[in-house]
Structures are given as structure tokens and as C-alpha cells.
Amino acid sequence: QVQLVESGGGLVQPGGSLRLSCAASGLSFSTYWMSWVRQAPGKGLEWVSVINSSGGTTIYADSVKGRFTISRDNAKVTLYLQMNSLKPEDTAVYYCAASLTKASATRLQYPYRGQGTQVSVSS
């Protein structure tokens, strides 16, 4: 059974930082492209960032470029998202998701996705 379990969310002031983690189990983690996606209240799913299986390629949505950093540790089967300079518009439930190709990742087509962790940015 595949499980993706996110953690690290919370309430932070604008300009603050958070680090999200996603612990994976039940899948061959090192063969998957891994993504972070988010869903703000009343809005659809938004792709945030993706990293390839080895960690050598990372891609970001324009809305987070320069502020967020995606990384992975295949030995620990864990995905990370370091979020700096947070803005109120970053408020959302953040999900990690696995896909076998970059194309699937950017099209929000994931065979596996976690339950999410809430990130709230407010003063």
C-alpha cells in the first residue's frame, strides 16, 4: 500500500518560513518524479514544483520561483519543500504527489497523492 504523509505545515506570519516534509512508503520512491501541489480555499489544484527521480532537475511555478526550494533524500524516502518569504496567497493545503513522468506531474496527473498539510500565512 502506497502512503505519502505530509508534515510541517502550520500558521506563519508573512515573510516567514516553513519546511514541509513528505514521507513515502510502499513505492519505489527513487524511480518517481515527485511534486508539491496546493489547493487554496475555493480554488482548484495548483502545481507548485517538481523534482526528478535523482534530484538533479527541479522546476517551479512562477508564483513560487526564488522563494521555494524542493529537494529529496532517496535514502530516507522523503521529499521536502523549503518555503521562504511566505505570502498570504501561499495559504493552502499542500500535497506531495508521485508520478512517473514530468509531463504527468505538470498536468496534475498523479497515481499517488498524500492527504495534505495546511499552510496558513497571516499576520
Side-chain angles (χ1 to χ4, degrees):
Q1 180 183 358
V2 174
Q3 282 195 313
L4 299 172
V5 180
E6 302 91 341
S7 61
L11 174 63
V12 63
Q13 292 186 340
S17 298
L18 282 174
R19 188 193 195 204
L20 305 184
S21 299
C22 171
S25 61
L27 79 168
S28 185
F29 182 76
S30 62
T31 66
Y32 282 84
W33 288 71
M34 294 299 298
S35 297
W36 287 100
V37 298
R38 67 187 181 185
Q39 188 164 23
K43 296 189 177 181
L45 205 59
E46 177 190 13
W47 171 77
V48 173
S49 182
V50 65
I51 187 168
N52 74 335
S53 56
S54 68
T57 298
T58 58
I59 308 171
Y60 299 92
D62 288 344
S63 57
V64 306
K65 199 173 296 182
R67 300 188 298 119
F68 290 11
T69 302
I70 190 171
S71 61
R72 66 191 296 162
D73 186 332
N74 286 343
K76 295 183 178 179
V77 288
T78 302
L79 176 73
Y80 304 100
L81 185 68
Q82 177 66 45
M83 305 186 295
N84 299 329
S85 303
L86 282 161
K87 305 175 181 180
E89 52 263 43
D90 294 318
T91 295
V93 178
Y94 284 71
Y95 303 89
C96 68
S99 58
L100 289 172
T101 67
K102 182 179 72 172
S104 296
T106 56
R107 293 171 188 164
L108 303 178
Q109 296 171 346
Y110 310 110
Y112 307 114
R113 195 178 87 188
Q115 293 299 306
T117 185
Q118 176 69 48
V119 171
S120 298
V121 185
S122 175
S123 55

